[in-house]
Amino acid sequence: MIPPARLRPSHRVHGRPQGIFRIALGPDGKLYGSTAMPIHFFQADPDSDQWHEIAEAGDGEFYSFLAWKGKLLGAAYSAPSPVMVYRPDQPWKPGTDPAQSNPWRIHYEGANGGWRPMAMVAGPLDRVYLGAVSGYGLLGGPLCVFDPETGKLDQYLHLVQDQSVIALAALPSGLIVGGTTIDGGGGSHPTQTEAKLFLWDPVRREKVFEVVPVAGKGSIEALAVGKNGLVYGFAGGDTMFVFDSEQRKVGEVVPHTMGGLVYNAVARTGRQALRPRQWRSVHR
């Protein structure tokens, strides 16, 4: 090995630029994002070309963000904590003291730093709901119920046997709708063949319904609820389905040509009851 001090310019090796892995709109109207391996956590102003790095926040990457009551919640793989609560109006001072730290790093029993927390949504009972692919070698990634005020997080593994929860949305009825993948953490081997759609009752804290919405598909990458109350889901990278949560029936199942979707990157637009063609998505 050539000592760095003796390297001529022609011998120097430059790493390739890092891409942006995830972005989200924060509670202050700014964009926040994460690179991958390591986490360069940054803020950008969508109304100008101004941006800056807040901190190098860990070895891995943030998989999901959520603006919640003036705070930005983040869930990450291979980070100093699996979940954080960040206040954009305060200086960066990470720690585990909820009053003094920013971000407040959340640790909880049974946490696995190798998880991939793909989905995070605000829901009933003033709680936040997370879904994740399980850690290395494991199946049955959790649905998590998180209270950002107290830091309490409860996780429910194998909600669908040997499947991981990767898509979530809140329903007008007060239920949570979720979608799964048959895959688990790296090195694991699926035992199931078809992804499930399920309904979760936050009051009873139990699954109350499940169904295979699209035969033969091993993942449900995104879910969103229309103003008409119907659930629009995207499965297997090429199929869209419509689910009536009141009737608990899958309706139309159609191919789509939007290509691979970034997980949970589908949103409703406009004020009218939405048809499938009115959905907007973010592509890989």
Side-chain angles (χ1 to χ4, degrees):
M1 178 181 292
I2 303 173
R6 298 182 185 177
L7 284 175
R8 295 194 303 272
S10 60
H11 291 155
R12 291 174 185 158
V13 178
H14 297 278
R16 63 183 182 181
Q18 283 188 290
I20 296 172
F21 187 73
R22 291 287 190 272
I23 58 172
L25 193 64
D28 54 357
K30 302 292 195 302
L31 286 171
Y32 292 85
S34 166
T35 61
M37 302 183 71
I39 301 170
H40 292 286
F41 179 51
F42 63 87
Q43 180 197 77
D45 186 343
D47 296 323
S48 72
D49 59 358
Q50 300 299 309
W51 74 277
H52 71 277
E53 181 174 341
I54 298 169
E56 187 171 315
D59 295 331
E61 58 268 0
F62 280 103
Y63 269 85
S64 51
F65 292 108
L66 179 69
W68 189 87
K69 294 189 177 183
K71 302 177 180 70
L72 180 69
L73 312 181
Y77 158 81
S78 188
S81 68
V83 179
M84 77 165 192
V85 179
Y86 175 66
R87 292 168 290 175
D89 60 342
Q90 299 293 322
W92 181 267
K93 186 183 176 184
T96 57
D97 184 324
Q100 303 296 325
S101 303
N102 191 41
W104 175 21
R105 290 174 172 169
I106 306 296
H107 297 273
Y108 55 91
E109 185 177 355
N112 186 319
W115 73 338
R116 313 279 174 154
M118 313 298 286
M120 180 160 49
V121 297
L125 306 179
D126 218 17
R127 297 293 186 267
V128 170
Y129 300 81
L130 295 92
V133 176
S134 45
Y136 290 103
L138 301 174
L139 295 171
L143 172 70
C144 300
V145 181
F146 176 47
D147 182 349
E149 296 286 5
T150 66
K152 180 177 172 55
L153 188 148
D154 297 315
Q155 60 176 347
Y156 299 85
L157 300 167
H158 294 279
L159 197 64
V160 176
Q161 185 64 40
D162 287 353
Q163 301 197 25
S164 295
V165 179
I166 60 169
L168 293 169
L171 292 168
S173 64
L175 298 178
I176 297 292
V177 59
T180 68
T181 175
I182 63 173
D183 294 327
S188 66
H189 301 282
T191 65
Q192 309 297 304
T193 59
E194 295 176 311
K196 299 285 186 70
L197 186 79
F198 67 86
L199 296 176
W200 168 264
D201 186 326
V203 176
R204 294 159 56 185
R205 292 208 171 195
E206 63 182 28
K207 182 181 64 179
V208 295
F209 176 79
E210 73 174 44
V211 68
V212 174
V214 185
K217 299 301 181 182
S219 64
I220 298 170
E221 300 88 15
L223 296 169
V225 182
K227 202 163 187 177
N228 52 14
L230 296 176
V231 176
Y232 297 85
F234 295 80
D238 60 4
T239 303
M240 188 183 112
F241 63 89
V242 181
F243 175 67
D244 186 329
S245 63
E246 296 294 332
Q247 298 295 321
R248 299 189 176 182
K249 291 183 179 179
V250 177
E252 191 174 15
V253 177
V254 295
H256 72 73
T257 58
M258 294 187 293
L261 300 176
V262 173
Y263 290 96
N264 300 291
V266 178
R268 188 175 73 215
T269 183
R271 296 186 177 182
Q272 302 300 317
L274 298 177
R275 299 184 180 91
R277 61 184 171 83
Q278 291 178 277
W279 289 96
R280 301 293 183 262
S281 66
V282 179
H283 299 253
R284 290 194 183 96

